[in-house]
Every structure is written in C-alpha cells, then in structure tokens.
C-alpha cells in the first residue's frame, strides 16, 4: 500500500502503536515519490510547546510577538516546499490550531503570524498517530473535517505481536548490525532464544526490539544468544505474558480504523 501511495500526491495518515516505524514509512514514501529530490521535514507535534506551535508551523513576521526575531522566521511548511512534511503525533495539535491547519491543507498557502500576505506552498502531507482520532472526534478533541482531509489514504502498521514470524528476522538483523558496530564476531540468535522472544508481547514494538538487541550484542561473550540471555534482559513483569491472538484476530483499534 505504502509503495502505491508514494506515486500519488494525496495526503496520508499512518496509524500504528509506538515503535512500529511510522516515521520510517513516511520517509520511505517520500523517497519513492516524485518529491524525492525535495525536502523531507519531520515534525513531532507533541514536542512543540502549544504557545509556539503556530509560529513553528507557519512562521512569523519580524517583531510579531515578544521575543520574536527581528528578521522573522519561515515556518516548517515553508521549509517543506516542493517536498513532504511529516506531522508525527498529529493528534497533539491543539484544537484551536486545527482550523489553521485545515485552511493550509485546503488553500495550499500559509499566513505567517503577524503577516497580512499569504505564501503559496506545494507540499505533500503525511501524518501519523497512535491515537484513535475518530474517538477523539466524538470527545470534541479533534476536528472531523480535518480528520477526513488528512485521511485521504491510510496505512495501518500492525504491532509486532501480530507479526510473530518477523520477530526472529528483525532481532537477528539488529544483532548482526550491533555486533559489527561494536567490533564483535557475528552473533546468532538460536531457535530456542527466538521462541522466548516470540512469547513476549513487545509493547515498544520495533523500537524496543532494537534496544534489546543492542543490549544483547553488548553482553554476549560468545557467538550465540541463548534463551537465558533474552530472559535476562526482558522486563520481569512482562516475561510470562501470553501475547494476544496473532494476525487475523486484530485488536479493536485496528478493526475500528479499518471500518473508518
């Protein structure tokens, strides 16, 4: 889906739990698109203070507010001109600012804070969230019209617990990567150790499996990762959890998103 979506210019909404690789997908879509030679601007909406978000996204005129630069500043949408802007954790954009974003999407132009003129922009918008935006709409926390503007196309990234067969491949990939990085011999994940990994729920998904693999590569003194090695680095409170049903029996969130 992502590969096909890369070749059109429609807005995309990526949904997935934390650590499933949403920014990696967004970057890959950009790299395969006709905008690949343009900028890719990634914005973590949750990391920008609410009182600064408008000026960061849309820019500001010289002296637009107390503490503003005397020369003004271009916004992130302007920085992404002729390329792609990736709005990660889009659910964290304040309701008061969502109407501004909607207008930018509709009109393809931005108005800097304190400015009277508008600036045309040509950007492709990719958004990502781990929240149920439809539920936020019902709670009055997200604009419905903005939701449908952002979710022209959508990609659902399944969690690792629904991708049991991938766990061995991903962990072995990172073990090999970190072994080389740390100047060690190649480290092999045994089938027995892989079985322990596959029975863990991986709430942090690929981000967590990468961190665990790095720790294993540092600690490993031989050439094999054994079951006890993995058990020793996994959080004790989650070692014996029974993972949810594998792919085919999707979580309620995924079902809801697919219906929408």
């Amino acid at each position: 889906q992502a590969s096909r979506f890369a070749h059109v210019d429609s807005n995309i909404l990526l949904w997935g739990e934390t650590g499933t690789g949403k920014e990696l997908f967004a970057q890959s879509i950009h790299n395969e698109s006709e905008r690949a030679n343009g900028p890719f601007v990634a914005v973590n909406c949750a990391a920008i203070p609410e009182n600064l978000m408008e000026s960061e996204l849309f820019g500001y005129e010289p002296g637009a507010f107390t503490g503003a630069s005397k020369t003004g500043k271009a916004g992130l949408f302007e920085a992404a001109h002729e390329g792609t802007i990736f709005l990660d954790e889009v659910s964290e954009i304040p309701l008061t600012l969502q109407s501004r974003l909607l207008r930018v999407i509709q009109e393809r132009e931005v108005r800097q804070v304190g400015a009277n003129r508008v600036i045309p922009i040509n950007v492709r918008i990719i958004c990502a969230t781990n929240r149920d935006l439809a539920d936020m709409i019902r709670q009055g926390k997200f604009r419905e019209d903005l939701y449908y503007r952002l979710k022209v196309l959508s990609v659902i990234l399944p969690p690792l617990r629904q991708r049991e067969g991938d766990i061995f491949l991903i962990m072995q990939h990172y073990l090999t990567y970190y072994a080389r990085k740390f100047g060690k011999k190649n480290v092999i994940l045994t089938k027995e150790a892989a079985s322990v990994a596959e029975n863990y729920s991986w709430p942090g998904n690929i981000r967590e499996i990468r961190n665990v693999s790095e720790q294993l590569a540092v600690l490993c003194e031989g050439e094999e990762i054994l079951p006890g090695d993995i058990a020793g680095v996994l959080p004790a409170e989650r070692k014996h959890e029974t993972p949810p049903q594998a792919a085919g029996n999707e979580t309620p969130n995924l079902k809801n998103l697919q219906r929408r």
Side-chain angles (χ1 to χ4, degrees), residues 10-54:
S10 307
N11 297 335
I12 297 177
L13 177 64
L14 304 175
W15 186 92
E17 294 179 8
T18 181
T20 48
K22 296 184 287 295
E23 183 168 351
L24 182 64
F25 264 77
Q27 179 77 67
S28 299
I29 290 169
H30 170 77
N31 292 345
E32 196 170 331
S33 74
E34 294 181 359
R35 296 176 177 270
N37 292 327
F40 176 82
V41 178
V43 184
N44 185 343
C45 298
I48 304 175
E50 184 173 340
N51 62 327
L52 296 179
M53 188 171 290
E54 183 177 19

Side-chain angles (χ1 to χ4, degrees), residues 12-160:
I12 297 177
L13 177 64
L14 304 175
W15 186 92
E17 294 179 8
T18 181
T20 48
K22 296 184 287 295
E23 183 168 351
L24 182 64
F25 264 77
Q27 179 77 67
S28 299
I29 290 169
H30 170 77
N31 292 345
E32 196 170 331
S33 74
E34 294 181 359
R35 296 176 177 270
N37 292 327
F40 176 82
V41 178
V43 184
N44 185 343
C45 298
I48 304 175
E50 184 173 340
N51 62 327
L52 296 179
M53 188 171 290
E54 183 177 19
S55 60
E56 285 294 312
L57 290 178
F58 309 128
Y60 59 84
E61 286 276 275
F65 50 85
T66 303
S69 168
K70 294 181 180 180
T71 59
K73 181 181 178 182
L76 295 170
F77 271 89
E78 289 178 69
H81 184 62
E82 301 292 347
T84 301
I85 189 167
F86 172 55
L87 301 176
D88 195 12
E89 300 194 59
V90 69
S91 59
E92 305 310 305
I93 294 180
L95 195 61
T96 53
L97 194 56
Q98 290 176 21
S99 58
R100 284 284 315 267
L101 178 58
L102 179 65
R103 183 167 183 82
V104 169
I105 296 171
Q106 290 175 331
E107 306 299 331
R108 296 292 166 175
E109 60 187 24
V110 296
R111 186 191 302 271
Q112 294 184 341
V113 176
N116 295 319
R117 61 188 178 90
V118 295
I119 302 171
I121 55 167
N122 176 13
V123 298
R124 204 270 180 85
I125 300 173
I126 302 177
C127 296
T129 184
N130 60 4
R131 302 277 299 276
D132 186 338
L133 294 183
D135 187 54
M136 292 183 67
I137 291 169
R138 287 191 291 271
Q139 297 176 33
K141 297 179 179 179
F142 202 86
R143 292 181 62 113
E144 186 172 15
D145 46 6
L146 177 59
Y147 173 69
Y148 287 113
R149 285 287 184 177
L150 297 176
K151 187 182 174 288
V152 178
L153 308 175
S154 61
V155 179
I156 298 173
L157 281 66
L160 267 181

